[in-house]
Amino acid sequence: MNFNNLPQLVDMRGKLASKGTYSKRTKSITHRVWHHSLTKKNLGGSDAASFAAYHVNTLGWPGCGYAFVIEPKNLINTPKGKRARIVYANDINRRTYHVGNSNQFSLGICVAGDYRYDTMDDATLASIAELHAALVKDGIGKYDKAHNEMPGYSWKACCQYNYRDAFDWKGSKTPAKPAPAPDVYIIQEGDTLWSIAHKDGTGGVQVEDLIKANPGIDPTKLKIGQKINFGNAKDVIVQPDINEDNESSNCGDEVVRSIQKNLNSRYKAGLNVDGFNGPKTKSALIKALQTELNKQFNKKLVVDGKWGAKTKAAIVTVEKGAKGNLTRILQAALYLEGFSPGSLDSIFGKGTESALSKFQKVKRITVDKKAGKDTFTELFAS
Ligand SMILES: [Zn+2]
């Protein structure tokens, strides 16, 4: 295989997070499907290992959803120059989850980055071109498509970079612009409300909108072919371009902005107040949690913003009627995961209870109106 010999390719099959295995393909690969991760390319979590952890721990999939992940932040020196690392994440013969009902015949390739805002660098473009050329030589797939050129996904803001230009094809053409979200979405293979909202990372529609638009739906029992309403989701799925340097921009999310401001003023988090919910904001929230556990309960945690066994062991249950900074952190974490508690007022009332119950139901943990070790783990572990 030519692709195996690319000097920037690292074989990490079997080494990334997994829970079971994907089944073998029963059809041969006809499509190479190009994705981006919707996580900014320079962030800590923009790599194959983090996507695998997210797909396994949050979406409940058997492993990373892609066969290949190109990582712009990890540069490899090759005889031809610097190249973005290519992680071989899953055997090409495995039917991973990345394009629902088309998984069986589609190879998933993800370029880490959010190309609504990130720009492509040469080392990444070269890796795309070289991987593409090798796959063509190897006879793996016949057609190249962006995620949103595949059936059922015209509304997805994926992949957002011009993959055809990257291959240096003549007559190159920009991938289809995302269409407005459909009124009705039909459940495809591997879908959960989470994966519909977050398939390529953590951007996009809120799970809460999907739950609101589908009263009576059981998020744990979705069936392939089942129709769900998109409801308000269609207003938020396609986000406009933003000027990242402009703090007063109307883009981003107002509540996320208020969470970021709060973390900056109370905990000196030093976040950009951009209203975008990313790994830095989450890490700052974990630091806030560790700080409060140390201060209020005399735990001796290292305040490193990372979720680990020690932080989990130190968690104090937060339940209805609670007031204060831990409740505020719980409310912020629920909001960032797509479950709005209403106002983030540091008081564990009806809104917090309702958001927490929905979150626990979707995550299949005991719905007990209490946020304990399991709940905080689900909120922070990935
Ligand atoms: Zn995608």
Side-chain angles (χ1 to χ4, degrees):
M1 289 286 175
N2 287 285
F3 78 78
N4 266 324
N5 295 327
L6 291 168
Q8 70 269 46
L9 186 129
V10 180
D11 188 354
M12 291 181 74
R13 287 176 297 168
K15 292 177 189 158
L16 299 167
S18 67
K19 208 181 273 171
T21 44
Y22 284 108
S23 58
K24 279 208 168 145
R25 295 179 188 279
T26 56
K27 290 180 183 167
S28 56
I29 298 166
T30 51
H31 291 62
R32 296 176 290 259
V33 179
W34 298 84
H35 299 263
H36 67 150
S37 61
L38 276 161
T39 55
K40 292 254 183 104
K41 66 181 184 181
N42 292 322
L43 293 176
S46 260
D47 53 32
S50 303
F51 304 152
Y54 183 78
H55 291 166
V56 171
N57 299 326
T58 303
L59 302 185
W61 293 351
C64 177
Y66 312 109
F68 297 101
V69 175
I70 299 179
E71 302 174 334
K73 73 185 172 85
N74 291 324
L75 291 175
I76 307 257
N77 287 312
T78 76
K80 290 179 174 176
K82 284 200 194 315
R83 295 288 186 266
R85 185 167 85 154
I86 302 171
V87 171
Y88 186 16
N90 277 293
D91 197 273
I92 55 167
N93 293 321
R94 295 281 164 182
R95 184 214 58 187
T96 64
Y97 295 162
H98 62 110
V99 277
N101 294 349
S102 305
N103 292 328
Q104 200 60 266
F105 54 86
S106 299
L107 184 74
I109 305 156
C110 178
V111 181
D114 182 347
Y115 295 97
R116 296 172 304 176
Y117 315 119
D118 281 330
T119 49
M120 278 275 171
D121 49 73
D122 288 343
T124 305
L125 286 168
S127 279
I128 294 173
E130 289 167 9
L131 177 61
H132 176 256
L135 291 170
V136 169
K137 253 194 203 162
D138 291 334
I140 301 164
K142 291 180 187 146
Y143 313 105
D144 291 287
K145 296 282 181 194
H147 186 178
N148 65 11
E149 293 171 324
M150 296 301 286
Y153 290 108
S154 59
W155 50 273
K156 259 276 171 193
C158 187
C159 61
Q160 301 288 296
Y161 52 88
N162 191 329
Y163 64 93
R164 289 173 194 274
D165 266 1
F167 310 154
D168 200 22
W169 277 18
K170 287 191 178 101
S172 69
K173 147 180 169 267
T174 309
K177 275 256 158 66
D183 290 332
V184 171
Y185 178 84
I186 299 171
I187 300 294
Q188 300 199 17
E189 181 184 73
D191 277 343
T192 63
L193 293 188
W194 275 78
S195 72
I196 294 163
H198 298 255
K199 194 159 256 161
D200 294 285
T202 53
V205 59
Q206 303 278 296
V207 174
E208 169 117 353
D209 293 323
L210 296 176
I211 291 174
K212 220 186 274 169
N214 295 278
I217 199 175
D218 183 343
T220 63
K221 288 183 183 144
L222 299 177
K223 292 201 177 79
I224 292 174
Q226 184 181 349
K227 289 179 184 170
I228 61 162
N229 294 317
F230 253 65
N232 296 332
K234 60 185 166 190
D235 296 329
V236 295
I237 262 190
V238 182
Q239 297 185 3
D241 286 342
I242 55 149
N243 174 356
E244 286 170 51
D245 302 325
N246 184 357
E247 208 181 280
S248 64
S249 151
N250 287 322
C251 300
D253 182 300
E254 201 45 55
V255 179
V256 175
R257 241 197 294 277
S258 79
I259 291 170
Q260 291 168 327
K261 271 186 200 160
N262 196 275
L263 288 168
N264 285 351
S265 66
R266 274 172 203 270
Y267 304 100
K268 300 190 168 48
L271 294 166
N272 281 335
V273 182
D274 59 7
F276 284 91
N277 170 14
K280 275 190 191 159
T281 303
K282 192 168 214 175
S283 172
L285 202 57
I286 296 174
K287 275 190 188 171
L289 177 67
Q290 292 166 329
T291 304
E292 292 298 338
L293 289 169
N294 287 349
K295 227 197 283 184
Q296 298 185 38
F297 300 96
N298 201 26
K299 308 281 181 181
K300 295 193 169 68
L301 296 169
V302 178
V303 180
D304 60 0
K306 288 178 189 150
W307 186 261
K310 283 186 184 160
T311 306
K312 183 179 177 182
I315 285 296
V316 174
T317 301
V318 182
E319 52 187 284
K320 201 164 183 190
K323 283 179 194 167
N325 290 340
L326 278 178
T327 303
R328 185 193 296 272
I329 291 165
L330 171 67
Q331 290 174 327
L334 284 167
Y335 186 86
L336 296 180
E337 291 298 311
F339 298 82
S340 173
S343 69
L344 276 58
D345 56 3
S346 318
I347 302 167
F348 194 134
K350 275 219 169 87
T352 306
E353 180 186 330
S354 153
L356 175 63
S357 298
K358 281 178 198 161
F359 178 76
Q360 290 176 327
K361 194 169 181 198
V362 169
K363 305 304 278 187
R364 303 179 195 205
I365 49 185
T366 314
V367 179
D368 58 2
K369 303 177 186 190
K370 292 176 191 169
K373 292 182 171 54
D374 289 345
T375 299
F376 277 99
T377 301
E378 289 292 343
L379 285 168
F380 289 120
S382 57

